[in-house]
Amino acid sequence: MKFSQKPQSARWIILATSFAIILLILWNTYRFFQVFKNEERLKMTVLAESMKTIDKADLLNDEIELPLQIISNNKTIPVIVTDSKGRILNTANLSEQLANDSVYMKRTLARLKKENEPILMASTGSKQYLYYGNSELLNSLKYFPIALLLIIFLFIALIYNYYRSVKIGSENKLWAGMAKETAHQIGTPLSSLLGWIEILRSEHVEESTVQEIEKDVARLQTIADRFSKIGSEPVLESLDLVAETEKSYAYLKSRFAGQVSFTFNAPTYPIYRNLNPVLHSWTIENLVKNSIDAMRGRGAIDLTITDDGKQVRIFVSDTGKGIAKHQFKRIFEPGFTTKKRGWGLGLSLTKRIVEEYHKGKIAVTRSEIGKGTTIEVSL
């Protein structure tokens, strides 16, 4: 219990620390923004006073060099000066090409009004208002937290994807290890059963009984062979997909034909693809058995093969209980099952066989609750 709680506590501590660091960075950024904003306000106040000084000064006698220098030094903050009626009197750091565009100037003035409070410039006999916007530095600082959050979220996403891929890799190794161990464990009693079959023959047991036992032993050998190929690179052969599929389908039909109606539709000509016959047979068996389970042993299954010259598609359709749309992808995840009993490995192994070993695709193409499901395998 202590060992299971420590990693969980460590994760929460890391999350809380990361959240605190983010808040600290955002708070400091906000403080810097306010400091710079106040500095620019002070700078604009000085600018307004300089403009008032020049407006009142006697240009021939008064010293106006300092106010002019203050005004000319403002090269980053956009400025618009208006009279009390809102008419534009003067501008600075705006596009000279659009200075005569009244629509552009009105839009710019409206934007500056939203960014900062105007500074009153009480001149002789009239009032003027100085509107100013944020400098490029201030605007950059304003969007800095957004950029920071995006970088943090990207970093979190990369970490998540890394750990997810590691987890999936570990699960794949686990399933492969379990499969190989299962094949190894089955192999020992199989060898013994083969010996017992020879003993039964030597004791002249009825041949039909021995043959049935041989069929079951052969079936167990096939299952062991399938499990032994999981986790290793299978040997692919150029085989007739139609014949291999029909062979597996016919075997299942002979086992379940009592209460399930089977139909098979395929081109009459051979379609050659690189296949591993054992694993392809397992794919067909898993899909058909999954359909039989969905129908609770009663209904109709249709397997159709189509060929358009580029891709071969195998459609397995049933009249079972159907799958909810949000579960279309989840049914191929290891451990996911809607049955009361089962490990949820059949379709996940099928997906691995189709996509990793045969370089194909598998997906649910149609499903309605209470009406049935169609799964497509494309090669």
Side-chain angles (χ1 to χ4, degrees):
M1 185 67 179
K2 290 180 180 178
F3 290 106
S4 63
Q5 285 178 346
K6 283 183 179 179
Q8 188 74 13
S9 301
R11 281 194 290 268
W12 281 111
I13 291 171
I14 292 170
L15 284 173
T17 305
S18 303
F19 188 67
I21 291 172
I22 291 171
L23 287 179
L24 184 62
I25 293 172
L26 292 177
W27 170 247
N28 280 319
T29 304
Y30 174 76
R31 286 181 60 242
F32 291 148
F33 180 82
Q34 292 301 320
V35 169
F36 289 140
K37 196 172 181 67
N38 291 334
E39 289 288 336
E40 289 192 354
R41 179 77 180 181
L42 181 60
K43 184 177 179 180
M44 287 299 100
T45 303
V46 174
L47 181 71
E49 289 297 324
S50 299
M51 293 178 73
K52 283 168 57 178
T53 301
I54 292 175
D55 187 47
K56 294 178 181 179
D58 183 346
L59 299 180
L60 295 176
N61 300 317
D62 292 344
E63 183 65 42
I64 59 172
E65 184 178 347
L66 180 59
L68 284 174
Q69 188 175 355
I70 292 172
I71 294 171
S72 63
N73 283 340
N74 175 36
K75 300 182 183 300
T76 58
I77 302 175
V79 173
I80 294 179
V81 179
T82 68
D83 60 16
S84 57
K85 294 182 179 180
R87 289 175 296 192
I88 296 175
L89 303 176
N90 199 0
T91 65
N93 301 320
L94 296 176
S95 175
E96 294 180 2
Q97 297 177 349
L98 299 173
N100 297 323
D101 188 338
S102 59
V103 176
Y104 166 76
M105 296 304 291
K106 286 181 180 179
R107 287 179 180 173
T108 304
L109 180 60
R111 176 173 62 83
L112 298 186
K113 287 180 178 179
K114 290 179 181 178
E115 290 183 2
N116 295 288
E117 287 292 323
I119 298 173
L120 176 62
M121 298 169 53
S123 185
T124 306
S126 64
K127 290 183 179 180
Q128 295 180 358
Y129 296 91
L130 185 146
Y131 294 94
Y132 67 98
N134 296 326
S135 64
E136 292 182 4
L137 175 63
L138 202 60
N139 284 329
S140 299
L141 193 60
K142 182 171 65 176
Y143 294 114
F144 175 75
I146 298 174
L148 179 65
L149 288 174
L150 287 175
I151 293 171
I152 291 170
F153 286 139
L154 178 62
F155 185 67
I156 291 171
L158 288 173
I159 293 175
Y160 172 77
N161 285 332
Y162 170 75
Y163 281 108
R164 186 171 180 271
S165 61
V166 169
K167 182 181 177 183
I168 291 172
S170 299
E171 288 178 351
N172 286 337
K173 288 181 180 178
L174 176 62
W175 299 131
M178 288 178 63
K180 287 183 176 294
E181 181 62 21
T182 301
H184 177 71
Q185 294 293 339
I186 292 174
T188 303
L190 271 178
S191 301
S192 178
L193 285 172
L194 290 170
W196 280 106
I197 288 173
E198 294 304 319
I199 291 173
L200 290 174
R201 277 208 172 95
S202 66
E203 294 184 358
H204 306 292
V205 175
E206 189 175 346
E207 185 61 25
S208 61
T209 302
V210 176
Q211 287 178 354
E212 288 301 317
I213 295 173
E214 277 186 323
K215 287 180 182 179
D216 289 334
V217 170
R219 184 64 182 164
L220 286 172
Q221 285 178 320
T222 301
I223 293 170
D225 192 21
R226 287 173 178 175
F227 278 107
S228 68
K229 286 179 168 57
I230 294 296
S232 58
E233 192 67 28
V235 178
L236 302 181
E237 307 172 50
S238 181
L239 299 171
D240 180 8
L241 177 72
V242 176
E244 292 296 324
T245 304
E246 188 173 14
K247 188 196 307 180
S248 302
Y249 195 64
Y251 170 81
L252 294 165
K253 182 179 179 180
S254 66
R255 291 292 189 270
F256 298 97
Q259 296 175 328
V260 178
S261 172
F262 289 83
T263 56
F264 182 82
N265 300 287
T268 55
Y269 52 86
I271 303 173
Y272 289 96
R273 287 292 184 273
N274 290 328
L275 299 174
N276 182 282
V278 175
L279 294 181
H280 179 69
S281 173
W282 199 0
T283 297
I284 301 302
E285 182 175 319
N286 279 340
L287 293 177
V288 172
K289 283 187 174 180
N290 191 70
S291 293
I292 292 171
D293 289 340
M295 299 185 301
R296 296 180 181 176
R298 295 175 180 268
I301 295 178
D302 175 74
L303 192 150
T304 300
I305 300 175
T306 63
D307 177 26
D308 61 7
K310 293 182 179 179
Q311 279 195 324
V312 181
R313 292 180 172 86
I314 303 171
F315 298 92
V316 179
S317 303
D318 62 56
T319 56
K321 60 183 179 180
I323 305 167
K325 194 170 183 179
H326 68 275
Q327 293 179 337
F328 279 15
K329 292 184 179 180
R330 289 198 65 201
I331 64 170
F332 298 106
E333 294 177 2
F336 179 82
T337 179
T338 57
K339 306 170 191 175
K340 291 182 179 179
R341 295 182 180 180
W343 288 51
L345 297 179
L347 288 178
S348 65
L349 286 172
T350 303
K351 181 180 175 68
R352 184 187 181 99
I353 292 168
V354 171
E355 296 187 352
E356 293 190 24
Y357 297 150
H358 291 128
K359 309 305 178 185
K361 293 182 180 179
I362 185 170
V364 179
T365 56
R366 180 198 64 84
S367 188
E368 294 183 48
I369 301 298
K371 292 186 178 181
T373 301
T374 298
I375 295 180
E376 174 190 341
V377 175
S378 60
L379 300 171

